[in-house]
Amino acid sequence: MTAMLSAEEFARLTARYDPDPGRSHSLGAHSYIDPRYLEIEREAIFYRTWQWVCHIERLREPGDYVVTEVQGRSIAVVHDRNGVLRAFYNVCKHRAHHLLSGHGRTNVILCPYHAWSYDLEGRLRAAPNTGQLENFDKREICLESVQVEAFCGFVYVNLDPKAPSLAGQSGDLAKEIMAFAPDVEQLTLARRLTFRMQSNWKNVIDNFLECYHCPHAHKDLCSLVDMDSYKVTTHGIYSSQMAKANKQPNSAYSIEGATVDDLAVWWLWPNTCLLRYPGRGNFQVMHIAPISADCTYETYDFYFETAVATPQEEETIAYVRDVLQKEDIDLVESVQRGMATPAFESGRIVNNPSGSGKSEHGVHHFHGLMIDAYRRALA
């Protein structure tokens, strides 16, 4: 049964929220610790928004496929013989066995349970030993389709058949990404890091969306970029964080000979973070997936000009893995523990009208989108 939000719960959740970030508190802490809220979020958010799958390089050729999961629902994305990207629930129409796994290339989608097979357009081609069945017409059987879209070098799916396109929803995001990372489609996956943290997924997003904590928690990052130039801007279903690289030596990683001089970061509602760091041509994707109310799984993919990272890029990966992410995980896990006590209900949003990175208006923007989603769940 779909979890529902009562009017009383919604009123409590939003009691201290104000549309003006200069007057607002954060969301109520109970939405970060009560498991019922994750059930509401799955239905109202994750099954209705554009979810990141992979870089387009894995789906360039006919027959290429990638299997992803959207909060427990397995989805297969394929490149069909006519050059069209298609996505389906990765479920056989016979007995619901999963069809594909991982990623690769195939000419046919074959169920490993009873060998029912489908073409790359999702139509049933063969079903062994069904010739004697009454009222069985394989031409009427197709895999259940899901919306899929290529956007700025990456592939996304949306389980809501009525959802507007990502390009149509996201305003100038594509223009911004291509201005800062025109090479994004030509980059290749060089490394994946994975993290599991004892924190609600919203705490992970909250932490990502502000650099108010950076001077105190990320001293190496603050030596990498010019914090005086750090700017956070909110738009519709995304926000951006921009800063210039520091020209002086830094304690994070070497940027000697860098061709990328800017830090350019985007958050795409609800759980995808896109990053371009100073260095050689690069792009990173942080994908944040809730496991439970107090546990989150995160993948952090590095895309470089070559699949083998240079020594400088290895230094960058090591900094993210061993320093930056450790600092952030310690922060969000501490916040989660604090929210589970009776000492905290919500906190004041620190807002700087200039859009400074040392402001939490990006967090406030995220909370406004969360409230819109919770409001839709009232019905």
Side-chain angles (χ1 to χ4, degrees), residues 39-294:
E39 293 307 309
I40 292 166
E41 290 158 4
R42 285 185 174 124
E43 292 289 341
I45 299 172
F46 290 98
Y47 298 156
R48 299 179 184 278
T49 54
W50 288 96
Q51 294 292 306
W52 177 84
V53 177
C54 65
H55 192 277
I56 194 66
E57 69 175 342
R58 283 196 168 162
L59 290 160
R60 289 198 198 277
E61 301 297 329
D64 286 351
Y65 70 87
V66 172
V67 175
T68 191
E69 185 177 289
V70 179
Q71 287 301 292
R73 298 181 178 180
S74 183
I75 307 297
V77 184
V78 301
H79 181 139
D80 76 13
R81 296 185 183 281
N82 298 313
V84 176
L85 282 180
R86 297 182 183 273
F88 311 99
Y89 281 96
N90 188 33
V91 174
C92 184
K93 301 298 281 189
H94 173 221
R95 293 274 297 281
H97 197 284
H98 282 180
L99 296 165
L100 298 170
S101 61
H103 62 91
R105 185 171 295 171
T106 186
N107 293 319
V108 64
I109 300 171
L110 178 66
C111 180
Y113 195 7
H114 299 101
W116 281 34
S117 62
Y118 304 82
D119 64 25
L120 300 182
E121 288 74 42
R123 297 175 297 231
L124 182 64
R125 291 194 344 172
N129 302 319
T130 56
Q132 74 282 12
L133 297 182
E134 296 182 14
N135 302 317
F136 181 85
D137 185 349
K138 69 183 183 210
R139 293 171 299 180
E140 296 177 352
I141 299 176
C142 294
L143 299 178
E144 199 78 19
S145 292
V146 168
Q147 286 206 74
V148 60
E149 186 171 343
F151 181 83
C152 293
F154 294 94
V155 177
Y156 296 78
V157 294
N158 194 318
L159 307 193
D160 181 359
K162 298 179 180 178
S165 71
L166 178 53
Q169 285 188 51
S170 59
D172 288 334
L173 177 58
K175 187 162 81 172
E176 286 187 27
I177 291 174
M178 299 314 293
F180 282 91
D183 57 349
V184 62
E185 292 191 21
Q186 284 70 53
L187 300 177
T188 188
L189 180 64
R191 193 72 50 82
R192 166 167 283 191
L193 305 178
T194 61
F195 304 93
R196 188 183 178 103
M197 58 201 84
Q198 295 305 124
S199 173
N200 185 271
W201 73 278
K202 297 188 295 296
N203 269 328
V204 181
I205 299 292
D206 288 347
N207 181 72
F208 180 83
L209 290 175
E210 49 93 354
C211 219
Y212 181 41
H213 69 282
C214 292
H216 316 285
H218 300 315
K219 297 189 183 302
D220 298 307
L221 177 66
C222 291
S223 75
L224 175 67
V225 301
D226 175 9
M227 288 302 296
D228 290 336
S229 70
Y230 207 110
K231 191 92 169 173
V232 178
T233 310
T234 63
H235 325 253
I237 64 165
Y238 78 97
S239 61
S240 64
Q241 301 177 52
M242 303 292 180
K244 287 289 186 183
N246 243 329
K247 299 301 182 185
Q248 306 302 319
N250 72 83
S251 56
Y253 60 87
S254 172
I255 56 171
E256 183 180 356
T259 55
V260 177
D261 295 327
D262 298 288
L263 173 72
V265 174
W266 299 270
W267 165 75
L268 175 62
W269 162 258
N271 59 326
T272 302
C273 306
L274 309 167
L275 309 94
R276 175 89 154 179
Y277 270 72
R280 195 167 68 133
N282 72 92
F283 210 84
Q284 288 94 55
V285 178
M286 258 176 59
H287 187 249
I288 295 158
I291 298 172
S292 66
D294 61 357

Side-chain angles (χ1 to χ4, degrees), residues 20-23 210 212 227-228 230-234 349-362 364:
D20 181 347
R23 295 199 297 260
E210 49 93 354
Y212 181 41
M227 288 302 296
D228 290 336
Y230 207 110
K231 191 92 169 173
V232 178
T233 310
T234 63
I349 294 291
V350 174
N351 180 57
N352 185 324
S354 71
S356 161
K358 300 174 186 177
S359 172
E360 296 175 318
H361 58 285
H364 179 266

Side-chain angles (χ1 to χ4, degrees), residues 3 30-40 42 292-294:
H30 56 289
S31 69
Y32 291 74
I33 57 178
D34 185 341
R36 271 192 355 97
Y37 279 86
L38 180 54
E39 293 307 309
I40 292 166
R42 285 185 174 124
S292 66
D294 61 357

